[in-house]
């Protein structure tokens, strides 16, 4: 057959644009992965809604740094795996300890207000820097999924330090809320008595898909699967596996869900999804006028009262 007799493929004009589209989608996915998953060594500016609380925030931070404290470590001698935390002992001998998980691109310092609240309630306080945050190692942010494994080790350290008769509360906000939710499905020591999750997402996949549409006006497909595959190669897990809801289905600890009713970053319907997935004793508190991670700041007195009510019942 002569080459001149071969008719041009009717799909040629389609294949080239499709190839360009695929390449474009991959480029966008790679950029989004860099933005969302790569560590940054600074705390980004907070939302406009929470900037009004800046003076109060820095008063809490000053308190945090002035308090007598200890630095705790995981993998201290391995710079590629070293995790760092601040431990603030209660005044006097206390057997109850709260482990506080921080939010996305935050660090242990950014949880100073919650640390003070629990310290004033008589708790020892442990506030870690998660992977890819603060003084801890890590090239990538795992949105709580790999962090949950580190928190199992932090729990063991608390028990070793405080004693076998420890009573441990897990507490987290935003990504930290999802972290303790994801942690809830693991085999926890009996010393872990309760969990409080403030504005945690139902899964990394659902949160990413929501933000793709809201912030970037992009569809779930093909971007989310591409980002998931990139993360699988970089950090070792696909986004499908990282679900608060699936972990909460296995949870046996009492849990309080807190969420701002005007949260547009992690929408409040995710709190209800997490609540419905939970079979353990559970409570939910939606703060009607609070935006993302604003529930404490909106009314600190009401926040502390609601937390104490839950702890009186279940801790």
């Amino acid at each position: 057959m002569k080459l001149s007799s071969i008719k041009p493929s009717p799909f040629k004009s389609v294949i080239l644009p499709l190839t360009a589209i695929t390449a474009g989608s991959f480029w966008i996915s790679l950029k989004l992965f860099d933005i969302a998953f790569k560590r940054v060594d600074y705390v980004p500016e907070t939302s406009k809604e929470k900037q009004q609380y800046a003076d109060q925030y820095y008063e809490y931070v000053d308190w945090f740094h002035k308090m007598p404290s200890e630095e705790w470590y995981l993998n201290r001698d391995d710079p590629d795996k070293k995790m760092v935390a601040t431990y603030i002992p209660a005044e006097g001998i206390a057997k109850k300890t709260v482990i506080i998980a921080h939010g996305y691109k935050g660090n242990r310092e950014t949880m100073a207000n919650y640390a003070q609240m629990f310290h004033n309630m008589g708790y020892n306080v442990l506030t870690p820097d998660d992977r890819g945050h603060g003084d801890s190692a890590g090239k990538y942010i795992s949105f709580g999924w790999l962090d949950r494994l580190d928190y199992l080790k932090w729990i063991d350290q608390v028990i070793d330090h405080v004693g076998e008769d420890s009573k441990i509360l897990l507490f987290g906000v935003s990504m930290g809320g999802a972290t303790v939710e994801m942690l809830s499905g693991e085999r926890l020591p009996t010393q872990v008595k309760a969990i409080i999750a403030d504005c945690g997402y139902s899964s990394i996949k659902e949160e990413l898909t929501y933000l793709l549409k809201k912030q970037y006006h992009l569809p779930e497909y093909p971007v989310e699967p591409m980002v998931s595959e990139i993360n699988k190669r970089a950090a070792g897990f696909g986004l499908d596996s990282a679900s608060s809801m699936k972990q909460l289905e296995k949870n046996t600890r009492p849990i309080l869900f807190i969420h701002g009713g005007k949260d547009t970053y992690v929408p409040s319907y995710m709190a209800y999804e997490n609540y419905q997935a939970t079979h353990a004793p559970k409570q939910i508190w939606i703060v009607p006028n609070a935006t993302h991670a604003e529930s404490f700041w909106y009314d600190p007195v009401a926040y502390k009262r609601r937390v104490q009510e839950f702890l009186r019942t279940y801790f």
Side-chain angles (χ1 to χ4, degrees):
M1 180 184 290
K2 294 181 180 179
L3 291 176
S4 59
S5 67
I6 300 176
K7 294 182 179 180
S9 168
F11 299 106
K12 183 177 181 181
S13 61
V14 177
I15 291 171
L16 289 175
L18 279 178
T19 303
I21 290 170
T22 302
S25 297
F26 179 75
W27 184 85
I28 291 171
S29 301
L30 196 59
K31 289 296 180 184
L32 287 171
F33 173 79
D34 286 348
I35 292 169
F37 289 83
K38 280 193 173 180
R39 79 173 292 148
V40 292
D41 290 310
Y42 64 92
V43 177
E45 189 176 68
T46 190
S47 64
K48 291 180 180 179
E49 294 89 355
K50 292 204 291 297
Q51 286 176 11
Q52 62 182 306
Y53 309 115
D55 290 343
Q56 297 161 263
Y57 169 76
Y58 285 110
E59 288 177 8
Y60 285 116
V61 171
D62 287 343
W63 171 89
F64 184 83
H65 288 296
K66 289 176 182 176
M67 288 300 294
S69 64
E70 304 168 9
E71 278 210 338
W72 287 16
Y73 300 92
L74 301 177
N75 312 310
R76 184 171 187 168
D77 297 324
D78 187 343
D80 295 325
K81 296 181 179 179
K82 185 174 73 173
M83 301 287 112
V84 184
T86 294
Y87 178 77
I88 301 175
E91 294 182 5
I93 298 173
K95 290 298 182 180
K96 55 185 183 178
T97 303
V98 60
I99 302 177
I100 299 177
H102 65 73
Y104 177 64
K105 294 185 178 178
N107 56 38
R108 50 193 157 149
E109 176 189 279
T110 61
M111 306 306 284
N113 55 314
Y114 304 102
Q116 187 188 89
M117 179 184 74
F118 284 109
H119 182 268
N120 290 344
M121 290 163 59
Y123 283 75
N124 305 308
V125 177
L126 183 68
T127 57
D129 281 344
D130 289 353
R131 299 185 186 202
H133 293 82
D135 294 321
S136 289
K139 296 179 180 179
Y140 304 106
I141 297 168
S142 78
F143 286 84
W145 185 242
L146 299 181
D147 302 301
R148 82 193 196 285
L149 305 177
D150 299 324
Y151 278 79
L152 289 172
K153 297 176 183 177
W154 289 126
I155 290 169
D156 288 341
Q157 280 207 26
V158 168
I159 296 169
D160 289 342
H161 184 79
V162 179
E164 290 293 326
D165 54 348
S166 295
K167 295 176 68 177
I168 297 172
L169 170 67
L170 303 176
F171 175 90
V173 179
S174 190
M175 185 186 80
T179 301
V180 297
E181 288 165 351
M182 292 173 182
L183 177 59
S184 75
E186 302 302 314
R187 295 184 63 181
L188 299 173
T190 57
Q191 287 86 351
V192 177
K193 302 300 182 183
I195 302 168
I196 300 175
D198 187 336
C199 61
Y201 35 82
S202 50
S203 70
I204 301 177
K205 178 180 178 179
E206 188 170 353
E207 175 66 8
L208 177 63
T209 300
Y210 169 80
L211 292 177
L212 281 175
K213 294 176 181 177
K214 184 178 185 298
Q215 293 189 353
Y216 299 101
H217 309 291
L218 292 170
E220 177 179 353
Y221 299 99
V223 178
E224 186 279 327
M226 287 186 175
V227 172
S228 180
E229 184 61 29
I230 294 167
N231 189 68
K232 191 173 184 178
R233 293 171 183 269
F237 69 95
L239 303 189
D240 281 338
S241 62
S243 169
S244 300
M245 291 173 62
K246 290 179 182 177
Q247 291 290 93
L248 285 164
E249 288 175 355
K250 299 181 286 183
N251 172 48
T252 60
R253 301 305 195 276
I255 183 166
L256 169 63
F257 298 98
I258 301 173
H259 217 104
K262 291 187 177 179
D263 193 335
T264 58
Y265 188 74
V266 178
S268 58
Y269 71 76
M270 292 191 184
Y272 290 105
E273 289 179 333
N274 288 332
Y275 181 84
Q276 291 299 326
T278 303
H279 307 296
K282 57 188 177 180
Q283 295 180 4
I284 188 167
W285 180 40
I286 304 297
V287 183
N289 294 313
T291 59
H292 183 64
E294 192 192 14
S295 295
F296 172 92
W297 300 103
Y298 186 77
D299 190 339
V301 175
Y303 193 97
K304 181 178 180 179
R305 183 171 61 246
R306 189 66 184 80
V307 166
Q308 286 178 316
E309 287 173 2
F310 169 77
L311 294 174
R312 275 195 296 269
T313 303
Y314 292 112
F315 197 73

